[in-house]
Amino acid sequence: MEDEGRGAARSLPAAAASGRFVRCLYAVGFLDLFGVSMVVPLLNLHIKSLGASPTVAGIISSLYGVMQLFSSTFVGCWSDIVGRRYSLLACILLSALGYFLLGTSTTVFLFAISRVPVGIFKHTLSISKALLSDLVSEQERPLVIGRFNAASSVGFILGPVVGGYFTELEGGFYQTSFICASIFILNAGLVWMLPWSEENACSSEHEQGTNSNKVTDDFSAKANHDLQFKSVAIESMASDSPLQSSWIQTAMLLKRIKGIACSNLWDIFLVRLLMSVAVLLYYSNFGLALEERFGVKPKFTGYLISYSSTLGALAGCLLEPITRLYQHNTYTILLHSSILTCTLILLYSSALNVWTVILSSTFLAFSTTVGRTCITDLELSLGGNQASGTLLGVGQSVTSVGRVVAPLLSGIAQEFSPCGPPSLGVGLALVAILIMNMNKPKYCGNGNVKLKTQ
């Protein structure tokens, strides 16, 4: 009894420290998307003002997505190896460099160069989510990630308003870019001042409390092997030359990526891809389809998109009662949210009036937000916390593939009908739901997935 009392007494300060750290990470997520959303809506206008042709502008715009596609997995894996603190600081500062270069871009070439560091290192949100996964328990994880997404979404809603105000001033784009870079530097300062000693204590306590019942014996042995290899590598990096340290980090990075590639997590990543493409197809020609089908003005479309974005931010705060209702069964929440998303996209594609579109947009904002949070939580539950950065990086790469594929599919579908893209999205969502049903035992077990060491 006395031991239990002492354990409970120790857990209270740890919980308080974890809570402080988590709230600081909410601020990091808010500032990140607040700064980005100040600049992103203005990029096309700026590159056009520099004299770029539509083709060149399209190629440079796609450059960011391609770099994100290939860098997400490597940066996420790198954060598992060198630690969240230094990887997060490096990503924020190098992204700040990119936006600073953007503020000095007076030619198309300089504009393209400024997108390179941002495309490679703009993974602040993924690393922050991996850090949150290290800090909290499995039951708390969807709630915390949902609130983190909500805080980030608020920044994304407010950023364009501030950016639009500065754009009206002389040299407004350059001022906005410098302000964005300054926000990233401020964010780096916030990350540097975080109570990392408390984070280490909370993370260690969390691992001790979950490793015993989380995964199978084979996966636990693999995790312990990885931890031993990581500790040896860190000692070597501290004593060896920079070239040897880089080689050790590269070897560890490739080993972790090979483990993900050889695992049986393909189905959950396929579900992520299918649902991402389905939602992207819904939004791909949203404004054009509303104008052709119902004759609404672009101003109304803008209001509707802002309305949906606000509801999506609020939906992140509703995950706590939802998870309690489902008794923390992430698989069932994901399945039901996917079914609801599929139904709402079908309702939109067959809508006869604009009020049906408003109704579908209202509930779709909730279902997609819940679905994104749950699929991230399910990936971490199936793959384990030992490679959370790698898993989130792979997930981000999968989403980037969806961003590349969706416009192509949308263009082909629009050749047949304005309702073609969302109708195709319904079909893809149905395939995702079928895959989840076929793999229900694995999703509900949470302990049968192993990352292979060979």
Side-chain angles (χ1 to χ4, degrees):
M1 292 294 292
E2 292 179 358
D3 291 340
E4 291 178 0
R6 284 194 295 268
R10 284 194 300 267
S11 65
L12 290 177
S18 176
R20 288 193 298 270
F21 203 99
V22 166
R23 287 190 292 272
C24 290
L25 284 178
Y26 292 162
V28 170
F30 169 82
L31 289 173
D32 182 85
L33 281 192
F34 177 72
V36 169
S37 61
M38 288 175 59
V39 175
V40 169
L42 311 175
L43 291 177
N44 288 334
L45 292 174
H46 180 63
I47 192 172
K48 184 179 179 181
S49 70
L50 296 176
S53 65
T55 302
V56 172
I59 292 173
I60 294 176
S61 298
S62 64
L63 181 66
Y64 175 84
V66 172
M67 288 186 293
Q68 287 272 297
L69 168 62
F70 290 102
S71 66
S72 297
T73 301
F74 289 97
V75 173
C77 185
W78 180 59
S79 75
D80 287 333
I81 296 170
V82 302
R84 310 291 183 218
R85 181 182 191 180
Y86 297 108
S87 58
L88 190 56
L89 280 171
C91 286
I92 293 174
L93 290 174
L94 289 168
S95 297
L97 173 63
Y99 286 110
F100 176 80
L101 293 175
L102 186 64
T104 62
S105 60
T106 54
T107 65
V108 175
F109 177 74
L110 288 176
F111 181 92
I113 291 297
S114 70
R115 301 301 289 161
V116 173
V118 179
I120 296 175
F121 293 101
K122 177 61 184 70
H123 300 291
T124 311
L125 300 182
S126 297
I127 298 177
S128 297
K129 290 177 185 177
L131 182 52
L132 288 172
S133 176
D134 297 337
L135 283 170
V136 299
S137 65
E138 278 196 29
Q139 288 191 348
E140 294 175 321
R141 187 169 57 206
L143 312 181
V144 171
I145 292 179
R147 291 167 185 162
F148 178 82
N149 290 339
S152 303
S153 298
V154 171
F156 196 79
I157 293 170
L158 296 179
V161 179
V162 179
Y165 170 78
F166 282 104
T167 305
E168 295 180 357
L169 305 176
E170 185 177 356
F173 177 81
Y174 300 104
Q175 294 183 30
T176 305
S177 298
F178 286 131
I179 292 172
C180 177
S182 301
I183 290 174
F184 270 75
I185 293 173
L186 174 65
N187 219 2
L190 176 60
V191 170
W192 179 262
M193 292 186 295
L194 286 175
W196 289 97
S197 58
E198 296 177 353
E199 181 270 337
N200 292 332
C202 296
S203 180
S204 300
E205 182 174 324
H206 171 55
E207 288 177 4
Q208 292 172 359
T210 57
N211 281 343
S212 61
N213 57 7
K214 176 177 171 45
V215 291
T216 60
D217 293 338
D218 290 340
F219 188 83
S220 297
K222 197 271 177 185
N224 290 332
H225 178 269
D226 276 355
L227 288 175
Q228 292 171 2
F229 184 42
K230 179 177 178 180
S231 63
V232 171
I234 290 174
E235 292 176 1
S236 300
M237 285 186 282
S239 58
D240 294 341
S241 66
L243 181 60
Q244 290 175 316
S245 300
S246 300
W247 175 253
I248 292 171
Q249 291 185 32
T250 302
M252 291 182 64
L253 186 146
L254 294 176
K255 181 177 181 294
R256 283 181 176 269
I257 293 177
K258 180 183 177 182
I260 294 291
C262 296
S263 69
N264 56 344
L265 289 169
W266 65 268
D267 49 344
I268 189 64
F269 290 126
L270 182 57
V271 169
R272 173 185 275 274
L273 176 63
L274 291 171
M275 292 305 300
S276 297
V277 174
V279 175
L280 288 168
L281 286 172
Y282 167 81
Y283 286 109
S284 62
N285 70 330
F286 189 73
L288 180 61
L290 288 183
E291 184 177 356
E292 291 184 2
R293 294 171 63 188
F294 307 110
V296 300
K297 297 180 179 180
K299 184 178 181 180
F300 173 82
T301 303
Y303 285 143
L304 184 57
I305 293 175
S306 298
Y307 165 72
S308 300
S309 301
T310 304
L311 289 180
L314 294 174
C317 302
L318 297 178
L319 279 166
E320 184 172 3
I322 293 174
T323 52
R324 281 205 304 264
L325 177 65
Y326 280 87
Q327 297 179 344
H328 301 279
N329 190 332
T330 305
Y331 161 77
T332 305
I333 301 175
L334 177 60
L335 178 61
H336 289 177
S337 67
S338 300
I339 293 173
L340 180 59
T341 297
C342 180
T343 304
L344 291 170
I345 297 176
L346 177 62
L347 179 64
Y348 161 74
S349 61
S350 60
L352 300 178
N353 55 66
V354 73
W355 291 107
T356 306
V357 175
I358 296 173
L359 177 66
S360 63
S361 297
T362 300
F363 290 99
L364 193 65
F366 286 92
S367 66
T368 53
T369 300
V370 172
R372 282 195 302 269
T373 303
C374 288
I375 201 164
T376 299
D377 181 68
L378 195 58
E379 287 170 359
L380 295 171
S381 298
L382 292 172
N385 282 336
Q386 300 297 341
S388 57
T390 309
L391 290 166
L392 290 172
V394 173
Q396 187 64 33
S397 295
V398 169
T399 304
S400 297
V401 172
R403 293 194 183 102
V404 174
V405 172
L408 176 62
L409 295 178
S410 176
I412 296 173
Q414 286 181 74
E415 294 289 343
F416 300 94
S417 167
C419 299
S423 300
L424 179 59
V426 171
L428 296 177
L430 285 174
V431 174
I433 293 168
L434 179 62
I435 292 173
M436 282 189 281
N437 276 315
M438 291 173 58
N439 292 274
K440 183 177 180 179
K442 184 175 76 173
Y443 293 149
C444 295
N446 281 359
N448 299 322
V449 178
K450 298 185 286 293
L451 303 184
K452 299 179 182 178
T453 58
Q454 298 293 328

